[in-house]
Amino acid sequence: MPSRFVSHIANSTIEIVDCLHAERDLQTGISIYNHLRDLTPEGVPRIRRHSIESEDALWACLDEIENDCVRGWKAIVHLEGHACKDGFELRRGIEPPYPVVPWGALVDRFRHINVASQFNLGVFLAACEGIEALRPMTIKKAAPYMFLAGPNVVVSAGAMKVAAERFYDIIVTAPDLGRALASLPAEFSTFLAERFFATTYARVLKAQSFGRNRRERVDSLVNMVVPDNAPLEQVRSVREMARVFARPDRERYEAVQQNYLPAGVSFTFDDLVEFARTGRVPN
């Protein structure tokens, strides 16, 4: 298993979705937009800023980004605003109480954009508690983004601006996603879809297919099928089938991988089995 997960991400546009209050918030969305324009005098990648003043405007903006991705653009979406555990707040042009877009609804819309971009979407959530967007995550659906970065605690607007500018300096000039994510301060958490898939599936394998867990699973399968008075040969036959069933299943793995990351991953099934077998599965 590789010691460093990778993501094969192309990027041709950075979309700043600015939901900050125009008068009450420090305008970091505009600052980052101007910083990115200075970094890209030739217009590559494309830099755009969207001023969002309602929930309808947010969905229309994300629809526009999705349509662009269908036409071939590969986006990083920079979402600028405020957040809480329940979702993302919309403040620009709005008076309190501010509407909150649930994380689940936002993540589902990102999933559409990621599929449209052929699994190249990155998201920078410049909002306190933005990492809450990871809570609706599952490998049973297509990945909603290939990477996500966001603060896991309350971060000042100034610190957010500095972290985002350092991140984009590397993304635009290197470009090196690993270095860019590593440049973020300790107050930020990062997510890679490939890493999430590998560690989640490895936990499943570890729980079902190795050592004592596998033996207990085999016994459970045998007890489900074989009556107490079954002949010994029948018990042996069923136990052998149960042992085969309890092994890591390549076809099952490939089906899940094709569902979550159909564009592929940087490791093989055998790599993942070895990763799970060693017991060094990250918490």
Side-chain angles (χ1 to χ4, degrees), residues 181-245:
L181 293 173
S183 76
L184 295 171
E187 295 82 8
F188 281 68
S189 293
T190 60
F191 166 89
L192 280 175
E194 179 174 296
R195 179 176 62 199
F196 177 75
F197 171 69
T199 54
T200 300
Y201 205 89
R203 289 190 186 99
V204 172
L205 291 179
K206 188 176 180 181
Q208 297 182 349
S209 301
F210 300 112
R212 179 178 176 180
N213 290 336
R214 184 183 180 213
R215 291 193 296 272
E216 289 178 350
R217 188 175 181 219
V218 168
D219 289 342
S220 175
L221 290 169
V222 171
N223 291 336
M224 288 171 55
V225 174
V226 179
D228 293 339
N229 59 350
L232 183 58
E233 284 304 313
Q234 182 183 355
V235 175
R236 287 174 177 168
S237 176
V238 171
R239 182 171 294 278
E240 183 57 34
M241 287 189 291
R243 288 195 185 103
V244 172
F245 186 80

Side-chain angles (χ1 to χ4, degrees), residues 245-262:
F245 186 80
R247 292 173 187 163
D249 187 303
R250 185 182 301 271
E251 290 185 2
R252 192 179 309 153
Y253 157 81
E254 289 176 350
V256 176
Q257 182 252 301
Q258 282 295 313
N259 183 56
Y260 183 69
L261 289 174

Side-chain angles (χ1 to χ4, degrees), residues 59-71:
W59 297 132
C61 171
L62 295 178
D63 281 344
E64 180 183 346
I65 295 171
E66 180 183 346
N67 290 333
D68 277 357
C69 289
V70 170
R71 291 191 289 268

Side-chain angles (χ1 to χ4, degrees), residues 142-204:
Y145 25 71
M146 302 310 292
F147 79 83
L148 179 141
N152 48 50
V153 295
V154 175
V155 177
S156 70
M160 187 82 75
K161 174 180 175 292
V162 170
E165 288 181 350
R166 185 183 299 123
F167 174 85
Y168 287 119
D169 284 348
I170 298 171
I171 285 291
V172 171
T173 61
D176 187 326
L177 177 59
R179 273 183 55 209
L181 293 173
S183 76
L184 295 171
E187 295 82 8
F188 281 68
S189 293
T190 60
F191 166 89
L192 280 175
E194 179 174 296
R195 179 176 62 199
F196 177 75
F197 171 69
T199 54
T200 300
Y201 205 89
R203 289 190 186 99
V204 172

